[in-house]
Amino acid sequence: MRCLGGVPYCSLVATLLCFSGIALFCGCGHQALTETERLIETYFARNLQDYITLAYIIQYFQYVIYGLASFFFLYCIALLAEGFYTTSAAKQTFGEFRSTMCGRCLSSSFIVTTYVLAVLWLLVFAFSALPVYFFYNMDATCRTIDILTETPASINQLCVDARQYGLLPWNAVPGKACGMTLSNVCKTREYRMTYNLYIAAFAGAGITLLALLTYTVSSTYNFAVLRYLGRKGIGARC
């Protein structure tokens, strides 16, 4: 019971959320980018030069994903360790616990860093919604085509233009898919898998953002306890 009383439950939950979110975002995002390149190459561009820039950008983002996964794994471990440091477990194990200037400085540094990361990750969360929006529009157009199969003339006017979203240059050929061609694309396994992967990556970004906010709240609470009640030997329990 004494050990359980000193567990930083908020930090522990935030760590599990962060690991889950980063795993979803990085794993699904990496594979979704690979599948996106394949879809563009197969259905929207015939010339390698038309999508070579997109291929380089996708490769760059995949390297960024590797770095994000490594950084957040280490940072979450550090935050969890800091959470244990600021609980009453320290007092129960080592006797009378008193916060030091170095400890308060470390806690405040974690608060500021986590807050900045939460703001930056909010931008990542918003950015990860863009491919979901693109595939949602594409899926809605395909459903409309399936409804209007009896009027081929109107079907051919329904298109998804990858150039319009900045995925390809304006001189790319064909650059778009229309009518039954687009409907067939939406029925492929590659399209469905890519769509679902982007949704999972978007959910992972949201979970990671929730974890960072939880870290910020718990770290702020722990710092307040260290700052104002540390001299009395009272540890934080968040």
mmCIF file of all heavy atoms in Angstrom, residues 82 85-86 97-111 222-223 225-228 230-231:
data_model
loop_
_atom_site.group_PDB
_atom_site.id
_atom_site.type_symbol
_atom_site.label_atom_id
_atom_site.label_comp_id
_atom_site.label_asym_id
_atom_site.label_seq_id
_atom_site.Cartn_x
_atom_site.Cartn_y
_atom_site.Cartn_z
ATOM 1 N N GLU A 82 10.484 11.779 -13.574
ATOM 2 C CA GLU A 82 10.278 13.027 -12.837
ATOM 3 C C GLU A 82 9.019 12.962 -11.994
ATOM 4 O O GLU A 82 8.955 13.505 -10.890
ATOM 5 C CB GLU A 82 10.207 14.186 -13.832
ATOM 6 C CG GLU A 82 10.333 15.564 -13.203
ATOM 7 C CD GLU A 82 8.985 16.160 -12.852
ATOM 8 O OE1 GLU A 82 7.959 15.637 -13.349
ATOM 9 O OE2 GLU A 82 8.939 17.137 -12.088
ATOM 10 N N TYR A 85 9.826 11.100 -8.956
ATOM 11 C CA TYR A 85 10.665 11.922 -8.083
ATOM 12 C C TYR A 85 9.834 12.845 -7.215
ATOM 13 O O TYR A 85 10.185 13.118 -6.059
ATOM 14 C CB TYR A 85 11.631 12.738 -8.954
ATOM 15 C CG TYR A 85 12.340 13.841 -8.208
ATOM 16 C CD1 TYR A 85 13.373 13.554 -7.321
ATOM 17 C CD2 TYR A 85 11.965 15.165 -8.392
ATOM 18 C CE1 TYR A 85 14.016 14.568 -6.633
ATOM 19 C CE2 TYR A 85 12.604 16.183 -7.707
ATOM 20 C CZ TYR A 85 13.624 15.881 -6.828
ATOM 21 O OH TYR A 85 14.253 16.892 -6.151
ATOM 22 N N THR A 86 8.746 13.331 -7.746
ATOM 23 C CA THR A 86 7.949 14.322 -7.023
ATOM 24 C C THR A 86 6.784 13.706 -6.271
ATOM 25 O O THR A 86 5.833 14.401 -5.921
ATOM 26 C CB THR A 86 7.398 15.374 -8.007
ATOM 27 O OG1 THR A 86 6.727 14.719 -9.080
ATOM 28 C CG2 THR A 86 8.515 16.230 -8.561
ATOM 29 N N PHE A 97 11.939 14.104 3.104
ATOM 30 C CA PHE A 97 12.174 14.569 1.739
ATOM 31 C C PHE A 97 12.096 16.083 1.678
ATOM 32 O O PHE A 97 11.157 16.695 2.161
ATOM 33 C CB PHE A 97 11.127 13.962 0.798
ATOM 34 C CG PHE A 97 11.184 14.515 -0.587
ATOM 35 C CD1 PHE A 97 12.235 14.193 -1.433
ATOM 36 C CD2 PHE A 97 10.192 15.366 -1.047
ATOM 37 C CE1 PHE A 97 12.288 14.688 -2.712
ATOM 38 C CE2 PHE A 97 10.243 15.876 -2.322
ATOM 39 C CZ PHE A 97 11.281 15.528 -3.154
ATOM 40 N N ARG A 98 13.076 16.695 1.056
ATOM 41 C CA ARG A 98 13.076 18.138 0.878
ATOM 42 C C ARG A 98 13.489 18.449 -0.556
ATOM 43 O O ARG A 98 14.468 17.918 -1.054
ATOM 44 C CB ARG A 98 14.026 18.819 1.855
ATOM 45 C CG ARG A 98 13.611 18.614 3.301
ATOM 46 C CD ARG A 98 14.429 19.478 4.237
ATOM 47 N NE ARG A 98 14.054 19.251 5.609
ATOM 48 C CZ ARG A 98 13.020 19.800 6.207
ATOM 49 N NH1 ARG A 98 12.239 20.633 5.539
ATOM 50 N NH2 ARG A 98 12.750 19.531 7.473
ATOM 51 N N SER A 99 12.706 19.319 -1.170
ATOM 52 C CA SER A 99 13.023 19.692 -2.548
ATOM 53 C C SER A 99 14.213 20.634 -2.560
ATOM 54 O O SER A 99 14.395 21.446 -1.664
ATOM 55 C CB SER A 99 11.814 20.376 -3.200
ATOM 56 O OG SER A 99 11.483 21.557 -2.511
ATOM 57 N N THR A 100 15.026 20.512 -3.573
ATOM 58 C CA THR A 100 16.203 21.369 -3.731
ATOM 59 C C THR A 100 15.957 22.347 -4.875
ATOM 60 O O THR A 100 15.025 22.201 -5.670
ATOM 61 C CB THR A 100 17.440 20.507 -4.037
ATOM 62 O OG1 THR A 100 17.237 19.835 -5.282
ATOM 63 C CG2 THR A 100 17.669 19.476 -2.939
ATOM 64 N N MET A 101 16.818 23.342 -4.960
ATOM 65 C CA MET A 101 16.708 24.305 -6.056
ATOM 66 C C MET A 101 16.897 23.605 -7.400
ATOM 67 O O MET A 101 16.213 23.914 -8.384
ATOM 68 C CB MET A 101 17.768 25.389 -5.881
ATOM 69 C CG MET A 101 17.712 26.458 -6.971
ATOM 70 S SD MET A 101 16.160 27.375 -6.958
ATOM 71 C CE MET A 101 16.364 28.295 -5.416
ATOM 72 N N CYS A 102 17.808 22.633 -7.439
ATOM 73 C CA CYS A 102 18.030 21.886 -8.677
ATOM 74 C C CYS A 102 16.783 21.102 -9.069
ATOM 75 O O CYS A 102 16.405 21.052 -10.242
ATOM 76 C CB CYS A 102 19.215 20.938 -8.490
ATOM 77 S SG CYS A 102 19.593 19.947 -9.952
ATOM 78 N N GLY A 103 16.130 20.487 -8.072
ATOM 79 C CA GLY A 103 14.914 19.730 -8.352
ATOM 80 C C GLY A 103 13.789 20.612 -8.858
ATOM 81 O O GLY A 103 13.077 20.248 -9.792
ATOM 82 N N ARG A 104 13.625 21.791 -8.241
ATOM 83 C CA ARG A 104 12.564 22.708 -8.692
ATOM 84 C C ARG A 104 12.874 23.236 -10.084
ATOM 85 O O ARG A 104 11.981 23.420 -10.900
ATOM 86 C CB ARG A 104 12.409 23.847 -7.688
ATOM 87 C CG ARG A 104 11.813 23.415 -6.357
ATOM 88 C CD ARG A 104 11.352 24.608 -5.555
ATOM 89 N NE ARG A 104 12.471 25.459 -5.160
ATOM 90 C CZ ARG A 104 13.155 25.303 -4.030
ATOM 91 N NH1 ARG A 104 12.840 24.308 -3.199
ATOM 92 N NH2 ARG A 104 14.142 26.114 -3.726
ATOM 93 N N CYS A 105 14.162 23.490 -10.333
ATOM 94 C CA CYS A 105 14.568 23.956 -11.678
ATOM 95 C C CYS A 105 14.265 22.888 -12.720
ATOM 96 O O CYS A 105 13.790 23.187 -13.815
ATOM 97 C CB CYS A 105 16.056 24.242 -11.702
ATOM 98 S SG CYS A 105 16.440 25.948 -11.845
ATOM 99 N N LEU A 106 14.551 21.627 -12.389
ATOM 100 C CA LEU A 106 14.299 20.529 -13.307
ATOM 101 C C LEU A 106 12.805 20.384 -13.583
ATOM 102 O O LEU A 106 12.385 20.193 -14.730
ATOM 103 C CB LEU A 106 14.861 19.231 -12.723
ATOM 104 C CG LEU A 106 14.772 17.984 -13.598
ATOM 105 C CD1 LEU A 106 15.584 18.171 -14.877
ATOM 106 C CD2 LEU A 106 15.248 16.762 -12.829
ATOM 107 N N SER A 107 12.012 20.498 -12.531
ATOM 108 C CA SER A 107 10.560 20.379 -12.698
ATOM 109 C C SER A 107 10.005 21.494 -13.565
ATOM 110 O O SER A 107 9.171 21.266 -14.445
ATOM 111 C CB SER A 107 9.869 20.380 -11.329
ATOM 112 O OG SER A 107 10.252 19.256 -10.569
ATOM 113 N N SER A 108 10.458 22.728 -13.315
ATOM 114 C CA SER A 108 9.979 23.856 -14.113
ATOM 115 C C SER A 108 10.413 23.727 -15.569
ATOM 116 O O SER A 108 9.671 24.100 -16.488
ATOM 117 C CB SER A 108 10.479 25.170 -13.520
ATOM 118 O OG SER A 108 11.891 25.222 -13.513
ATOM 119 N N SER A 109 11.611 23.174 -15.796
ATOM 120 C CA SER A 109 12.077 22.962 -17.168
ATOM 121 C C SER A 109 11.194 21.957 -17.900
ATOM 122 O O SER A 109 10.849 22.146 -19.076
ATOM 123 C CB SER A 109 13.526 22.469 -17.169
ATOM 124 O OG SER A 109 14.384 23.418 -16.585
ATOM 125 N N PHE A 110 10.805 20.904 -17.200
ATOM 126 C CA PHE A 110 9.911 19.920 -17.806
ATOM 127 C C PHE A 110 8.557 20.540 -18.129
ATOM 128 O O PHE A 110 7.949 20.223 -19.159
ATOM 129 C CB PHE A 110 9.731 18.715 -16.872
ATOM 130 C CG PHE A 110 10.794 17.671 -17.021
ATOM 131 C CD1 PHE A 110 11.573 17.289 -15.941
ATOM 132 C CD2 PHE A 110 11.014 17.067 -18.251
ATOM 133 C CE1 PHE A 110 12.556 16.320 -16.083
ATOM 134 C CE2 PHE A 110 12.000 16.097 -18.400
ATOM 135 C CZ PHE A 110 12.765 15.728 -17.315
ATOM 136 N N ILE A 111 8.070 21.406 -17.262
ATOM 137 C CA ILE A 111 6.773 22.047 -17.500
ATOM 138 C C ILE A 111 6.824 22.901 -18.760
ATOM 139 O O ILE A 111 5.949 22.809 -19.632
ATOM 140 C CB ILE A 111 6.364 22.903 -16.288
ATOM 141 C CG1 ILE A 111 6.081 22.012 -15.072
ATOM 142 C CG2 ILE A 111 5.128 23.750 -16.613
ATOM 143 C CD1 ILE A 111 5.854 22.785 -13.798
ATOM 144 N N ASN A 222 2.644 18.989 -9.503
ATOM 145 C CA ASN A 222 3.784 18.505 -8.728
ATOM 146 C C ASN A 222 4.768 19.624 -8.396
ATOM 147 O O ASN A 222 5.321 19.689 -7.300
ATOM 148 C CB ASN A 222 4.505 17.395 -9.508
ATOM 149 C CG ASN A 222 3.699 16.121 -9.570
ATOM 150 O OD1 ASN A 222 2.793 15.910 -8.774
ATOM 151 N ND2 ASN A 222 4.012 15.278 -10.533
ATOM 152 N N PHE A 223 4.985 20.515 -9.352
ATOM 153 C CA PHE A 223 5.896 21.631 -9.111
ATOM 154 C C PHE A 223 5.335 22.549 -8.028
ATOM 155 O O PHE A 223 6.088 23.066 -7.180
ATOM 156 C CB PHE A 223 6.102 22.423 -10.403
ATOM 157 C CG PHE A 223 6.936 23.650 -10.218
ATOM 158 C CD1 PHE A 223 8.313 23.566 -10.076
ATOM 159 C CD2 PHE A 223 6.341 24.912 -10.178
ATOM 160 C CE1 PHE A 223 9.086 24.698 -9.902
ATOM 161 C CE2 PHE A 223 7.109 26.055 -10.000
ATOM 162 C CZ PHE A 223 8.480 25.954 -9.866
ATOM 163 N N VAL A 225 3.439 21.681 -5.540
ATOM 164 C CA VAL A 225 3.628 21.025 -4.250
ATOM 165 C C VAL A 225 5.076 21.122 -3.802
ATOM 166 O O VAL A 225 5.378 21.409 -2.641
ATOM 167 C CB VAL A 225 3.177 19.551 -4.347
ATOM 168 C CG1 VAL A 225 3.533 18.798 -3.064
ATOM 169 C CG2 VAL A 225 1.685 19.476 -4.589
ATOM 170 N N LEU A 226 6.008 20.909 -4.727
ATOM 171 C CA LEU A 226 7.421 21.029 -4.379
ATOM 172 C C LEU A 226 7.774 22.451 -3.952
ATOM 173 O O LEU A 226 8.550 22.665 -3.026
ATOM 174 C CB LEU A 226 8.286 20.637 -5.579
ATOM 175 C CG LEU A 226 8.402 19.144 -5.896
ATOM 176 C CD1 LEU A 226 9.215 18.956 -7.166
ATOM 177 C CD2 LEU A 226 9.030 18.395 -4.741
ATOM 178 N N ARG A 227 7.174 23.401 -4.620
ATOM 179 C CA ARG A 227 7.527 24.803 -4.371
ATOM 180 C C ARG A 227 6.992 25.307 -3.034
ATOM 181 O O ARG A 227 7.686 26.014 -2.308
ATOM 182 C CB ARG A 227 6.979 25.662 -5.519
ATOM 183 C CG ARG A 227 7.245 27.154 -5.374
ATOM 184 C CD ARG A 227 8.726 27.455 -5.481
ATOM 185 N NE ARG A 227 8.985 28.876 -5.370
ATOM 186 C CZ ARG A 227 9.075 29.543 -4.227
ATOM 187 N NH1 ARG A 227 8.921 28.891 -3.078
ATOM 188 N NH2 ARG A 227 9.339 30.838 -4.223
ATOM 189 N N TYR A 228 5.759 24.940 -2.720
ATOM 190 C CA TYR A 228 5.117 25.534 -1.550
ATOM 191 C C TYR A 228 5.064 24.620 -0.333
ATOM 192 O O TYR A 228 4.959 25.089 0.800
ATOM 193 C CB TYR A 228 3.689 25.970 -1.899
ATOM 194 C CG TYR A 228 3.650 27.047 -2.958
ATOM 195 C CD1 TYR A 228 3.248 26.763 -4.242
ATOM 196 C CD2 TYR A 228 4.048 28.347 -2.668
ATOM 197 C CE1 TYR A 228 3.233 27.743 -5.224
ATOM 198 C CE2 TYR A 228 4.042 29.334 -3.642
ATOM 199 C CZ TYR A 228 3.627 29.017 -4.920
ATOM 200 O OH TYR A 228 3.614 29.988 -5.889
ATOM 201 N N GLY A 230 7.196 21.637 -0.105
ATOM 202 C CA GLY A 230 8.370 20.781 -0.021
ATOM 203 C C GLY A 230 9.116 20.882 1.283
ATOM 204 O O GLY A 230 9.680 19.923 1.770
ATOM 205 N N ARG A 231 9.131 22.056 1.879
ATOM 206 C CA ARG A 231 9.886 22.256 3.118
ATOM 207 C C ARG A 231 9.278 21.489 4.296
ATOM 208 O O ARG A 231 9.948 21.226 5.281
ATOM 209 C CB ARG A 231 9.937 23.738 3.470
ATOM 210 C CG ARG A 231 10.757 24.549 2.468
ATOM 211 C CD ARG A 231 10.803 26.005 2.864
ATOM 212 N NE ARG A 231 11.607 26.773 1.925
ATOM 213 C CZ ARG A 231 11.797 28.079 2.024
ATOM 214 N NH1 ARG A 231 11.250 28.753 3.043
ATOM 215 N NH2 ARG A 231 12.521 28.716 1.118
#
